[in-house]
Amino acid sequence: MTTAEKSFALPAGDEPLPQTYARLREAGPVVPVRLPGDVPVWAVTTHAAVQEVLSGDDSRFGKHSSHWRALRDGEVPEGWPFLPLVYGEHMLMRDGAEHRRLRALVSRDFTPGRVEALRPRIEEVVEQLVADIAARTGTVDLIAAFAEQLPMVVICELFGIPEPERPRLRTWTQALFSHQSTPEDNHRAATELVGYLGTLIQRKREHPEDDLASAMVRGTTEERLDDRELVDSLFLMLIAGHETTVHLLGHAIVHLLADPAQLDLAVRGRRWHDVVEETLRLTPPVYGSLFRYALADTTVAGTPIAAGDALLLCLGGAGTDPQRHGPDAARFDLTRTQRGHLAFGHGPHFCLGAPLARLEANVALPILFDRLSACGWRCRRSSCGTARRS
């Protein structure tokens, strides 16, 4: 890989991540970067280059950490904060036949019908959250009071997580994804979460219920996930299943409150589908996807990549690529003609939870803004997601 002197640092001090990804994209479709701990990877920055890599899953690129040469050679520091997100035997980190097997076992129970059946319950939860907000006085932080609440309730009810146990799950998730977390915080959160999931699996085995976790534990007479696969699969689905939707809802709320004209267009024109897709394009729930590994010497967008090199997919940069989305790609615009985005990936690893995230957002956002307006709340111009009663 290129020397550190020619590499970009990521993160780049106090520079906002969208600006960093735009700067990397201007440097080229594939550029060398150094992550914390002086770990070298390639940043893939444009829509076309990211899609090229995603299209090469299971042929040119793999996802399992065993492919990463730097990890095998001991070049990644012990206790590196991103290791909990790199390791795993769930479907997100497996390749080929093993990925297809695990995905089939999970998707067998996580069906479109099961997702759509959640709609009435999502509506009920949203109405209750909005009623609680409307009963308050003064300024309300809609991110904390709404965007963080709904996905947690939905995913925990889907998997049969009792209400008293949900705050711990949220605490672990925040520690794993927070930029302020120390390596010790990450390791502690991952360890405690894995221990909790082991206990949950045993509980569901002894006392199965009508929930997705029980269905995954039960399996079929032909094949079941083993305990390690169950823990890792639940880790992935519980974390990704609510954290990404928290970001989707939060980003949508902030975009709308920051631009009254766009909010008015969404409310009066019932452009909620456009709100969801434009939010996903401009500010995807996952800005950088860890990692793809080259299975052999190859090229991406004409850049030579050695076998075993790791590639960070800059989904955030791809979403604001002017070559794909026009010269105003960095602007939130509901009238934009959508050309397709990569917020949920592409190819064999396309996000299994995308229908649930879209359902939650398309149900929640119109109810939130309609009810707040009807109750006399003014969604004032804000860059942090707050509303105030008129």
Side-chain angles (χ1 to χ4, degrees):
M1 174 160 285
T2 309
T3 62
E5 288 74 21
K6 296 182 180 179
S7 299
F8 295 86
L10 189 67
D14 294 330
E15 182 181 45
L17 196 56
Q19 293 181 21
T20 300
Y21 278 12
R23 181 164 54 84
L24 294 178
R25 190 179 61 236
E26 291 170 1
V30 182
V31 297
V33 301
R34 293 270 165 174
L35 298 179
D38 204 33
V39 174
V41 302
W42 295 100
V44 185
T45 68
T46 66
H47 179 98
V50 171
Q51 187 163 347
E52 178 185 346
V53 174
L54 292 173
S55 298
D57 276 340
D58 294 345
S59 56
R60 298 166 59 201
F61 304 100
K63 295 207 68 179
H64 197 267
S65 58
S66 61
H67 301 306
W68 191 7
R69 187 184 62 255
L71 185 63
R72 293 197 310 265
D73 293 348
E75 298 173 12
V76 179
E78 185 177 350
W80 193 53
F82 295 114
L83 282 179
L85 303 179
V86 169
Y87 288 134
E89 299 303 320
H90 48 70
M91 62 184 176
L92 187 64
M93 298 304 183
R94 301 307 295 269
D95 306 312
E98 271 302 288
H99 167 252
R100 291 190 292 273
R101 179 182 72 86
L102 292 171
R103 188 179 178 99
L105 287 173
V106 173
S107 61
R108 176 197 61 214
D109 300 307
F110 194 47
T111 62
R114 185 187 282 267
V115 170
E116 182 58 33
L118 294 170
R119 182 183 293 271
R121 178 56 180 154
I122 293 172
E123 293 173 347
E124 181 182 356
V125 174
V126 171
E127 293 281 8
Q128 184 58 59
L129 289 171
V130 174
D132 292 343
I133 292 170
R136 303 186 190 185
T137 59
T139 300
V140 173
D141 180 350
L142 295 180
I143 307 304
F146 187 80
E148 291 188 357
Q149 303 303 315
L150 174 63
M152 177 59 71
V153 172
V154 172
I155 202 69
C156 286
E157 290 191 357
L158 181 63
F159 283 89
I161 307 295
E163 189 169 351
E165 298 173 10
R166 296 173 189 176
R168 285 191 295 162
L169 181 62
R170 183 66 189 146
T171 298
W172 291 322
T173 303
Q174 289 174 322
L176 287 170
F177 284 91
S178 172
H179 295 299
Q180 284 74 46
S181 293
T182 65
E184 293 76 19
D185 293 334
N186 278 269
H187 184 268
R188 184 185 311 110
T191 300
E192 291 178 357
L193 177 54
V194 166
Y196 168 78
L197 293 176
T199 302
L200 178 68
I201 288 168
Q202 186 59 35
R203 202 164 66 210
K204 297 297 182 182
R205 185 171 285 131
E206 295 172 355
H207 305 286
E209 299 175 282
D210 184 20
D211 57 62
L212 188 53
S214 296
M216 290 171 63
V217 169
R218 182 169 56 250
T220 68
T221 56
E222 293 80 19
E223 188 169 15
R224 293 178 176 84
L225 297 164
D226 63 32
D227 281 0
R228 172 67 188 277
E229 292 169 341
L230 278 168
V231 167
D232 285 352
S233 295
L234 286 171
F235 188 107
L236 168 67
M237 298 183 73
L238 283 169
I239 299 300
H242 85 273
E243 183 69 15
T244 54
T245 311
V246 168
H247 292 174
L248 169 56
L249 290 172
H251 287 146
I253 289 168
V254 169
H255 287 317
L256 291 171
L257 296 187
D259 191 331
Q262 293 291 312
L263 175 57
D264 185 67
L265 178 60
V267 173
R268 294 179 183 274
R270 315 313 294 170
R271 301 289 292 268
W272 298 109
H273 171 79
D274 294 325
V275 170
V276 172
E277 297 308 311
E278 180 70 345
T279 299
L280 288 168
R281 177 198 70 82
L282 180 60
T283 46
V286 177
Y287 258 75
S289 178
L290 304 175
F291 286 122
R292 272 14 181 228
Y293 311 103
L295 299 178
D297 291 349
T298 187
T299 63
V300 175
T303 301
I305 306 294
D309 278 359
L311 296 95
L312 168 70
L313 305 188
C314 300
L315 301 179
T320 57
D321 185 351
Q323 292 297 316
R324 176 72 176 186
H325 301 289
D328 66 343
R331 186 167 68 89
F332 185 78
D333 181 7
L334 299 184
T335 66
R336 182 186 310 279
T337 299
Q338 293 292 334
R339 299 193 57 202
H341 55 72
L342 301 171
F344 290 123
H346 173 79
H349 284 275
F350 185 81
C351 178
L352 190 64
L356 177 58
R358 283 186 163 115
L359 175 63
E360 288 186 58
N362 277 291
V363 168
L365 292 169
I367 295 176
L368 172 67
F369 286 101
D370 287 348
R371 297 292 189 275
L372 290 184
S373 177
C375 293
W377 280 79
R378 181 178 301 280
C379 295
R380 62 187 179 88
R381 189 178 184 89
S382 169
S383 62
C384 59
T386 59
R388 180 186 295 275
R389 186 181 293 279
S390 299

